[in-house]
Amino acid sequence: MLSGTLTAALPLAAAAQVAPGADPAVQLPDPVEPSIADEGAGEIVVTGFRGSLARALEIKRESNAVVDSIVAEDIAKFPDNNLAESIQRVPGVTITRDGGEGRNISVRGLGPDFTRVRINGIEAQATTGSNRGRGFDFNVFASELFNQIDVRKTPSANVEEGSLGATVDLHTGRPFDTAGSVLAASAQAGYNDLAEAADPRFAVLGSTRWDTGIGELGVSASVAYSEKTTLQNGVSTVGWQQGNADGGFCNPATNAALCAGTNPSAYQLASQPTTRYPRFLRYQDYNLETQRIGVTGSLQWRPQPETTITLDALFSRFEGERNERQLEAISLSRPASTGGKPEVVVRDIEVDENGTALYMLLDNMDIRSENYLDRYDTTFQQYTLGVEHEFSDRFRASVLAGYVNNDFNNAYDYIAQMDRQNVDGYSYDMRETGQNFPVIDYNFDVTDPNQWYIGPTRIAPGGGTGRSGPDIRLRPNWNENTYKTAQFDVSYELSDALTLTGGLQYKTYEFVGEGQRFALGEGNIPALPAGTGVADVTELYCGFEGLDVPAGTDTCWLTPNLQAIADAYGVFGGNDRFALSGTTASARGDNRTVEEKDFGGYIQLQFNFDAWGVPVRGDVGYRRVRTRQESGFFTTVPTTVNPSGFEWTVVGRSYNDDLPSLNLVVEPVDDVLVRFGAAKVMARPGLGSISAATNVSVAGASRSVSTGNPFLEPFRAKTFDFAVEWYPSAGSILSAGFFYKDVSTYVQSVTRAAPFSSTGLPDSLLAGTGVTAADEFQISNVINTPGGPLKGLELNFQQALTFLPGFLSNLGLLANYTYVDSDIDYFVTAPNGTQITVSQPLLNLSKNAFNATIYYESGPFQARVSGTYRDGYLTAVPAAYNTDVSGVESTTFVDFSLSYRIIENLTLSLEGINLTNEPTVSYNDSVAQRVGDYLQSGRQFYAGVRYSF
């Protein structure tokens, strides 16, 4: 018998298949018990990875909607660092990675904000790091906590609204999922070859059920803990600016003394608006350490066969510490008021056919060394209570209530800097080594403390156009997301062929964002205390391990010692100069709230009958939902209205949506299904978009003004699906699916470069920043646009190759391909200041995506190799600095997994992730595709042992 044990980290039985016409929102299906071969009958039952694939196909085949699933054995035995890396094997799903591990997903070309996630039937949101939107951060959780993932790509009326891409259902284990008692444990050692660090990963899970005098009871619990050390390093440019921006380069015609040494022809070429140069060219190291602990618990009680009561609890805590070290030239990103680009002398330049400055030799360049430490944590907790009761063979009802809270805490967001002003002979050169590996020559000893300056802003020695100096930044911030949900569903079988379902749902959602900045600003810091020198508050740092840094580029340099700087200045207490405020101009935009109250109801008819001998099934329904929304934020007002110049404002609105849906499945011949789906769908705008707060940000050389819009309409679309699926044998599928979405309402951010004075905001908002109202800012706001069509194709193939001879019959193959196309109209600002429309692909959309797994299973031995490819995609239209787009280049990731069962319940494993050390590369400009970031994160390996009984 071909068999495989349940892996110890996720030993619960495969999740229940969904019966025809049923849906978990109405009925919790009966569990699928672990597969056991009946040797007396001669039956061969396949378990392990191959068996889990077969059960996932059963779920897909029996569902009325287009659903793709992954079951527990599949996840536990696959080299998946987290849930996103598991879900990416589903057709139509692509992921984005952060620090080398999956974080967000896109489905059918629609990004994270268009995908809704439910955990145990309740909508949830998990966020960490910089996420302030509706997207779900899957890296908050360990995959060991879950035993099934469903990706629902077509809606039904009994599934609540909120998604244009997909609804992803995550299921934790429950005691009634297993036939008896289960106890399992796993331990792994992880190793990253770039960070050269080993980290632990553990999981323990137990479940039992028993009959009592008050009915059947069951209890299950799981705990998963992991640590991970990652080094991410590479090149960054922070955008490419135009030659004539920020006041232009040092002009010898107006300041001969300051601009001495200028090469007239090089100056003319560098000053052209078609010439682009990197604003912050630098190599950088990101040292990231994370800890993740998750706990699940479930209590089930069946007092009588007709009634089931389920209480689920999920807790997760994700902690991270990110340390960034950067050595960079800053003058090319600054105006005259802060001693920037108008001081820079152009001695030489070489530009390619796209206007990209591949080489520059410059004088009067300010150089900066920066040390950034970011400590954050996310605490997620969810509690759900469900009651189901069958009043008769035909009538049943269920009640589900849940509470979800995600609390993100980033109280320690701390940066210290030091500068070297007006360096002569600075150069960078990309001509031979390319944009990803430039040669950077700072032309001074970056390890000598006597070369560096820490203190107040000043005119550079030798003269200059404005005052500049290093910053100290402390930006604590917090955000909290809370869902409260209650729903009631009923189902009545009108006949053997027809079932009528209906229900009501009430849901509240609250988002609270808070942030603080120094009330007296981040620049113009005091001089170092008497008796303290630069050498006393700095340390030598050597970096860029494993990076092909060209000769002539410094890899060791002096950097601020964060603790020494904090102690010297009293940054964390005792010094009024560094007092924090949530109402200073630079912090007000971080303080905002959103509250939504959604009330919806649905009615749905499920059908299952034969028409002229052809099986037909599906559902047709209608859902109506009313959204009441309030946004709170600080508004800038005249001092005659409020002496402070600002006041807290709350803006409310409401809107209704009518959402019909149809799912139809026809089986014209045995084992061939033809599917059709049609629906209206909606997704609510992003949290940052619906707050009207105006955020004025001056972070060093990055200057921006952004404003939200609380009156945005939600995203709305009409969707159509058509698919043909052939199931030639158990565990096999060949399918093609076509989808079309007519997006009628879209939300877009419009960005333009203009002086701060053009906003009409008071100059007082710039107090303490060192810049003036005449300086150029990146000014953005959000608007509704008409959207456009999205269309695509999914091809899916899965086959156990049992027809091959000999040992080759133990092979199997999974492969899927997705094509998505969508060009929509974006509003952009033309060079003359008028607003025009341009056609570009939808953000986050990869036109082509492919992934494949080839596996081998023979008795106790299993092996798999997987590859995932994703086309490049856009991240902004328009992009900053008068650039048409920004985006990310295509990627290919290769993973593997090996395991061997040495005894009945003990399995050894070896897994590898990102075997080719694939970098993530972002770019600016659709034609030139100038590098934004080039970052590598290394290969990740896990060696482990699993035990279950």
Side-chain angles (χ1 to χ4, degrees), residues 212-232:
T212 71
I214 59 171
E216 187 175 13
L217 289 174
V219 178
S220 67
S222 65
V223 178
Y225 175 82
S226 64
E227 297 178 8
K228 190 169 186 285
T229 303
T230 304
L231 170 61
Q232 192 173 35

Short mmCIF file of all heavy atoms in Angstrom, two decimals, residues 212-232:
data_model
loop_
_atom_site.label_atom_id
_atom_site.label_comp_id
_atom_site.label_asym_id
_atom_site.label_seq_id
_atom_site.Cartn_x
_atom_site.Cartn_y
_atom_site.Cartn_z
N THR A 212 -19.97 11.56 26.73
CA THR A 212 -20.26 11.81 28.14
C THR A 212 -21.76 11.73 28.35
O THR A 212 -22.54 11.56 27.41
CB THR A 212 -19.75 13.19 28.58
OG1 THR A 212 -20.58 14.19 27.98
CG2 THR A 212 -18.30 13.41 28.16
N GLY A 213 -22.14 11.93 29.58
CA GLY A 213 -23.56 11.91 29.90
C GLY A 213 -24.30 13.10 29.34
O GLY A 213 -25.55 13.11 29.29
N ILE A 214 -23.60 14.15 28.96
CA ILE A 214 -24.25 15.34 28.40
C ILE A 214 -24.02 15.44 26.89
O ILE A 214 -24.24 16.49 26.29
CB ILE A 214 -23.74 16.62 29.09
CG1 ILE A 214 -22.22 16.76 28.93
CG2 ILE A 214 -24.13 16.63 30.56
CD1 ILE A 214 -21.69 18.11 29.42
N GLY A 215 -23.55 14.38 26.29
CA GLY A 215 -23.30 14.39 24.86
C GLY A 215 -21.84 14.21 24.54
O GLY A 215 -21.01 13.94 25.41
N GLU A 216 -21.50 14.39 23.28
CA GLU A 216 -20.12 14.21 22.84
C GLU A 216 -19.37 15.53 22.99
O GLU A 216 -19.85 16.60 22.61
CB GLU A 216 -20.08 13.75 21.38
CG GLU A 216 -18.68 13.39 20.93
CD GLU A 216 -18.65 12.82 19.52
OE1 GLU A 216 -19.69 12.94 18.82
OE2 GLU A 216 -17.61 12.29 19.12
N LEU A 217 -18.17 15.43 23.57
CA LEU A 217 -17.30 16.59 23.77
C LEU A 217 -15.99 16.37 23.04
O LEU A 217 -15.51 15.24 22.89
CB LEU A 217 -17.03 16.82 25.26
CG LEU A 217 -18.18 17.34 26.13
CD1 LEU A 217 -17.75 17.36 27.59
CD2 LEU A 217 -18.61 18.72 25.67
N GLY A 218 -15.40 17.49 22.62
CA GLY A 218 -14.09 17.41 21.99
C GLY A 218 -13.27 18.65 22.30
O GLY A 218 -13.81 19.76 22.42
N VAL A 219 -11.98 18.46 22.46
CA VAL A 219 -11.05 19.56 22.74
C VAL A 219 -9.82 19.39 21.86
O VAL A 219 -9.29 18.27 21.71
CB VAL A 219 -10.62 19.58 24.22
CG1 VAL A 219 -9.61 20.70 24.47
CG2 VAL A 219 -11.82 19.76 25.13
N SER A 220 -9.37 20.47 21.28
CA SER A 220 -8.12 20.46 20.53
C SER A 220 -7.36 21.75 20.80
O SER A 220 -7.96 22.78 21.12
CB SER A 220 -8.36 20.29 19.03
OG SER A 220 -9.01 21.42 18.50
N ALA A 221 -6.05 21.69 20.67
CA ALA A 221 -5.20 22.86 20.88
C ALA A 221 -3.91 22.67 20.10
O ALA A 221 -3.46 21.54 19.86
CB ALA A 221 -4.90 23.07 22.36
N SER A 222 -3.32 23.78 19.71
CA SER A 222 -2.03 23.73 19.03
C SER A 222 -1.21 24.94 19.40
O SER A 222 -1.75 26.00 19.72
CB SER A 222 -2.21 23.67 17.50
OG SER A 222 -2.81 24.86 17.02
N VAL A 223 0.10 24.77 19.39
CA VAL A 223 1.05 25.85 19.66
C VAL A 223 2.16 25.77 18.62
O VAL A 223 2.68 24.68 18.36
CB VAL A 223 1.66 25.75 21.08
CG1 VAL A 223 2.66 26.87 21.29
CG2 VAL A 223 0.58 25.79 22.14
N ALA A 224 2.49 26.90 18.02
CA ALA A 224 3.58 26.95 17.05
C ALA A 224 4.48 28.13 17.39
O ALA A 224 3.99 29.23 17.66
CB ALA A 224 3.05 27.08 15.63
N TYR A 225 5.77 27.90 17.38
CA TYR A 225 6.75 28.95 17.70
C TYR A 225 7.88 28.89 16.69
O TYR A 225 8.35 27.80 16.31
CB TYR A 225 7.31 28.75 19.11
CG TYR A 225 8.41 29.74 19.45
CD1 TYR A 225 8.10 31.02 19.88
CD2 TYR A 225 9.75 29.39 19.30
CE1 TYR A 225 9.10 31.93 20.18
CE2 TYR A 225 10.76 30.30 19.60
CZ TYR A 225 10.43 31.57 20.03
OH TYR A 225 11.42 32.48 20.32
N SER A 226 8.32 30.06 16.25
CA SER A 226 9.45 30.09 15.33
C SER A 226 10.22 31.39 15.47
O SER A 226 9.67 32.42 15.88
CB SER A 226 8.97 29.94 13.88
OG SER A 226 8.16 31.03 13.48
N GLU A 227 11.48 31.31 15.14
CA GLU A 227 12.35 32.48 15.04
C GLU A 227 12.98 32.48 13.65
O GLU A 227 13.14 31.42 13.04
CB GLU A 227 13.45 32.45 16.10
CG GLU A 227 12.94 32.50 17.52
CD GLU A 227 14.07 32.41 18.55
OE1 GLU A 227 15.26 32.47 18.13
OE2 GLU A 227 13.78 32.27 19.75
N LYS A 228 13.32 33.66 13.17
CA LYS A 228 13.93 33.74 11.85
C LYS A 228 14.85 34.94 11.79
O LYS A 228 14.48 36.05 12.22
CB LYS A 228 12.86 33.85 10.76
CG LYS A 228 13.38 33.70 9.33
CD LYS A 228 12.22 33.57 8.36
CE LYS A 228 12.70 33.28 6.94
NZ LYS A 228 13.28 34.46 6.29
N THR A 229 16.06 34.71 11.31
CA THR A 229 17.04 35.78 11.13
C THR A 229 17.30 35.93 9.64
O THR A 229 17.65 34.96 8.97
CB THR A 229 18.35 35.45 11.86
OG1 THR A 229 18.08 35.24 13.25
CG2 THR A 229 19.34 36.59 11.71
N THR A 230 17.12 37.14 9.15
CA THR A 230 17.27 37.40 7.73
C THR A 230 18.19 38.59 7.52
O THR A 230 18.09 39.60 8.23
CB THR A 230 15.91 37.70 7.07
OG1 THR A 230 15.01 36.63 7.31
CG2 THR A 230 16.06 37.91 5.57
N LEU A 231 19.08 38.46 6.57
CA LEU A 231 19.87 39.59 6.09
C LEU A 231 19.41 39.88 4.67
O LEU A 231 19.44 39.00 3.80
CB LEU A 231 21.37 39.27 6.11
CG LEU A 231 22.27 40.29 5.40
CD1 LEU A 231 22.16 41.66 6.05
CD2 LEU A 231 23.72 39.81 5.39
N GLN A 232 18.95 41.09 4.45
CA GLN A 232 18.54 41.52 3.12
C GLN A 232 19.43 42.69 2.73
O GLN A 232 19.53 43.67 3.48
CB GLN A 232 17.07 41.92 3.13
CG GLN A 232 16.44 42.10 1.76
CD GLN A 232 14.95 42.34 1.85
OE1 GLN A 232 14.46 42.97 2.78
NE2 GLN A 232 14.20 41.82 0.90
#
